[in-house]
Amino acid sequence: MSEAQLNVAPIPLVPATGCDERAVPLLLQCQRDNVEPSSVCSWIADHRSDFEAKLNAAGTILFRGFGLKSPEDFDQFVSAFGEENFPYEESLSNAVRVVRTERVFSANEAPADVTIFLHHEMAQTPIFPQKLFFFCEIAAAEGGETPLCRSDLLLERLAEVAPQFVTDCEKKGLKYTNVMPGDDDASSGMGRSWRSTLRADARKAAESRLSQLGYSWEWLDGDCLRATTPVLPAVREISPGRRSFFNQLIAASSGWKDTRNDPTKAITYGDGQPLDREAVLLATELAREFSYNVDWQPGDVAMVDNRISMHARQPFIGTRKIWASLVKAERQPIDENPS
Ligand code: FE2
């Protein structure tokens, strides 16, 4: 199936005022009506290496008009890229989600008024997906955009304006702490229970899993568990000379907040020292310049290179159904002796 048969064209997206134009995703729009899912899948399979190159350049590819209607269509669409699935159950994500198919689960189930701040998916855990896909089944009546931030461009800028902070992040790495409930708490953006996260029904099994992963932990009242990660990198090399601000620093210090968690205690340097508050605020502020807000239309799919682009979620009004799929699990290098 050729591009001409499906009539796919790149459509320019206009960045908001103040947004760097390099942060704009590539939008590929199918302009033929009633396109068959099987034609779309064979078109994807025929163009895999082309998508790889385009994704590497743009950080995100947005597919529009390809006739996807359901999470099952989305599952097929993602499968056509031929990448290994990274199921939610196997991840250490702290978000509560609803699994729909083998590859597809709901994006964060947190209430509509909760803002989810910019982050690289699972950068706060030892295992992360190289890519993620989002599919819009129902767009919110108002709000609910997905900001996507070019983290490589953000890091470049940060290195110019806050070089010591970047050096500290790079040399010391980061440790993240969160408090997990015993049972899922869907009222929080980070309410996944320790039982689900660690796939353990008893404390002993949870401790054994944490120990394998290099975490430290403490049991708290109310069946809660405070867990601290091993030292994880804060900066990642994508290719020679190209690096990204690969961490959850912005989300952890702004948004890891619920009845159990205090964002001021969520993150430290790898040596346990607090982060430079001013620099964290600067990074949060600068990230806006490199962020493009995806305004969803039903049927849209975003393919995101998780090493290059961070994502977030704006609050919304109405019903919003965004599904997610993760591929290619990769292990982070763990620093046992941070400098
Ligand atoms: Fe996420």
Side-chain angles (χ1 to χ4, degrees), residues 32-69:
R32 212 182 94 179
D33 290 336
N34 303 321
V35 63
E36 285 292 319
S38 58
S39 312
V40 174
C41 290
S42 63
W43 171 71
I44 291 170
D46 290 349
H47 292 79
R48 280 178 194 163
S49 56
D50 192 29
F51 291 131
E52 201 62 37
K54 285 176 168 149
L55 184 65
N56 193 260
T60 301
I61 303 176
L62 196 56
F63 297 89
R64 181 163 286 164
F66 286 86
L68 281 80
K69 296 207 164 35

Side-chain angles (χ1 to χ4, degrees), residues 235-308:
V235 170
R236 176 167 197 87
E237 186 170 66
I238 303 163
S239 53
R242 188 181 184 198
R243 301 178 310 153
S244 67
F245 195 51
F246 189 83
N247 55 62
Q248 287 228 354
L249 189 149
I250 293 174
S253 51
S254 316
W256 282 20
K257 192 176 179 183
D258 63 13
T259 53
R260 292 168 297 276
N261 287 279
D262 171 356
T264 62
K265 299 194 175 121
I267 184 166
T268 64
Y269 286 120
D271 59 8
Q273 292 301 305
L275 302 184
D276 173 350
R277 249 345 265 173
E278 296 273 297
V280 170
L281 292 174
L282 180 66
T284 308
E285 192 54 40
L286 282 176
R288 288 174 212 264
E289 206 180 305
F290 302 105
S291 295
Y292 179 90
N293 280 358
V294 173
D295 194 4
W296 293 104
Q297 294 183 17
D300 284 354
V301 173
M303 179 191 197
V304 180
D305 188 321
N306 189 38
R307 297 163 301 183
I308 299 174

Side-chain angles (χ1 to χ4, degrees), residues 61-251:
I61 303 176
L62 196 56
F63 297 89
R64 181 163 286 164
F66 286 86
L68 281 80
K69 296 207 164 35
S70 66
E72 289 72 21
D73 294 343
F74 176 47
D75 184 304
Q76 273 193 8
F77 186 93
V78 174
S79 299
F81 287 89
E83 308 253 37
E84 196 185 336
N85 187 27
F86 180 14
Y88 168 69
E89 296 94 322
E90 286 176 23
S91 78
L92 294 159
S93 161
N94 53 14
V96 177
R97 321 216 197 207
V98 175
V99 174
R100 175 69 177 253
T101 74
E102 202 178 316
R103 282 186 178 267
V104 174
F105 47 84
S106 61
N108 201 315
E109 292 282 313
D113 59 350
V114 171
T115 299
I116 297 172
F117 292 86
L118 285 168
H119 59 281
H120 285 281
E121 192 66 24
M122 298 176 206
Q124 84 288 17
T125 79
I127 308 159
F128 69 94
Q130 283 189 11
K131 292 181 192 134
L132 53 144
F133 293 82
F134 294 115
F135 162 60
C136 174
E137 185 181 6
I138 303 172
E142 217 175 288
E145 297 91 349
T146 292
L148 292 163
C149 175
R150 277 285 298 272
S151 173
D152 54 338
L153 302 177
L154 170 63
L155 183 66
E156 256 178 42
R157 176 63 60 82
L158 266 179
E160 286 164 17
V161 296
Q164 187 57 48
F165 174 60
V166 171
T167 303
D168 287 345
C169 283
E170 213 173 359
K171 289 209 163 145
K172 297 179 179 180
L174 297 168
K175 283 200 292 194
Y176 303 84
T177 297
N178 80 317
V179 178
M180 295 176 256
D183 296 305
D184 282 355
D185 170 11
S187 70
S188 162
M190 47 184 307
R192 190 179 183 193
S193 69
W194 58 262
R195 288 184 174 82
S196 167
T197 308
L198 302 167
R199 284 183 285 156
D201 48 17
R203 291 189 175 195
K204 211 169 167 59
E207 289 178 354
S208 143
R209 176 93 171 115
L210 287 166
S211 167
Q212 272 168 15
L213 292 163
Y215 281 61
S216 57
W217 66 88
E218 185 188 349
W219 293 101
L220 305 175
D221 289 345
D223 200 26
C224 291
L225 172 65
R226 178 186 290 127
T228 300
T229 66
V231 180
L232 298 170
V235 170
R236 176 167 197 87
E237 186 170 66
I238 303 163
S239 53
R242 188 181 184 198
R243 301 178 310 153
S244 67
F245 195 51
F246 189 83
N247 55 62
Q248 287 228 354
L249 189 149
I250 293 174

